[in-house]
């Protein structure tokens, strides 16, 4: 169970029109979250044509990342190669991985890079298998179900969400192993 758990915060929901504003990731080795092995950065958002993007007010209300906070942050072109190096050939995990995958593929393509982890795992899908009788599998509900808490100010910030997702992944894999 050696994986990289990651989370993105963005300016919106469209990988083609919106941009990444934060990347957070933690490594899990042998079922243990490795706090010292992490990747975390804010990103100054730019559009597909290189034009600066503002973070919409309604999105700022969700993740708390403002235009001021990313004003001096590096552009994605500067940090994406480092993040891809951090991931290396490790499998990746995210909650609702389709969202994060879409942004990573679009960003990598725009910068002449490739998003091709060796495997991708989704804690939302794992939750559906572990708790088939439950209706909701969003990260807040999953964290509550697994008795996990977000650090103050950690919800809807990349590293905070990645940390809870990593702990959820470890517990879900154990639960599924026990369930057979």
């Amino acid at each position: 169970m050696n994986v990289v758990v990651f989370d993105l915060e963005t300016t919106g929901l469209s990988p083609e029109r919106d941009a990444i504003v934060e990347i957070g990731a933690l490594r899990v080795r042998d079922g243990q979250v490795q706090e010292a092995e992490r990747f975390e950065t804010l990103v100054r958002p730019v559009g597909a044509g290189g034009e600066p993007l503002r973070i919409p007010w309604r999105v700022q209300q969700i993740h708390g990342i403002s235009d001021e906070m990313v004003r001096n942050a590096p552009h994605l072109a500067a940090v994406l190669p480092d993040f891809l190096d951090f991931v290396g050939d490790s499998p990746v995990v995210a909650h609702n991985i389709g969202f994060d995958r879409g942004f990573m593929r679009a960003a990598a393509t725009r910068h002449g890079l490739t998003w091709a982890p060796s495997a991708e795992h989704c804690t939302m899908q794992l939750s559906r298998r572990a708790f088939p009788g439950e209706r909701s599998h969003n990260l807040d509900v999953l964290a509550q179900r697994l008795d996990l808490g977000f650090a103050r100010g950690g919800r809807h910030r990349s590293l905070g969400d990645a940390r809870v997702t990593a702990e959820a992944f470890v517990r879900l894999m154990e639960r599924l192993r026990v369930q057979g």
Side-chain angles (χ1 to χ4, degrees), residues 63-116:
H63 55 48
I65 300 170
S66 67
D67 291 326
E68 181 62 31
M69 290 170 68
V70 297
R71 177 165 290 135
N72 295 317
H75 288 286
L76 191 60
V79 298
L80 188 57
D82 293 335
F83 178 63
L84 294 176
D85 284 345
F86 179 80
V87 170
D89 62 356
S90 298
V92 295
V93 176
H95 194 79
N96 190 16
I97 197 160
F99 177 84
D100 300 279
R101 174 194 311 130
F103 272 90
M104 289 306 301
R105 282 183 180 166
T109 298
R110 269 195 296 277
H111 296 288
L113 301 167
T114 302
W115 173 251

Side-chain angles (χ1 to χ4, degrees), residues 33-56:
V33 178
Q34 305 296 308
E35 285 289 335
E37 293 185 60
R38 67 176 166 221
F39 185 95
E40 180 182 23
T41 186
L42 288 169
V43 179
R44 188 171 356 151
V46 296
E51 71 283 1
L53 287 181
R54 295 186 55 90
I55 303 170

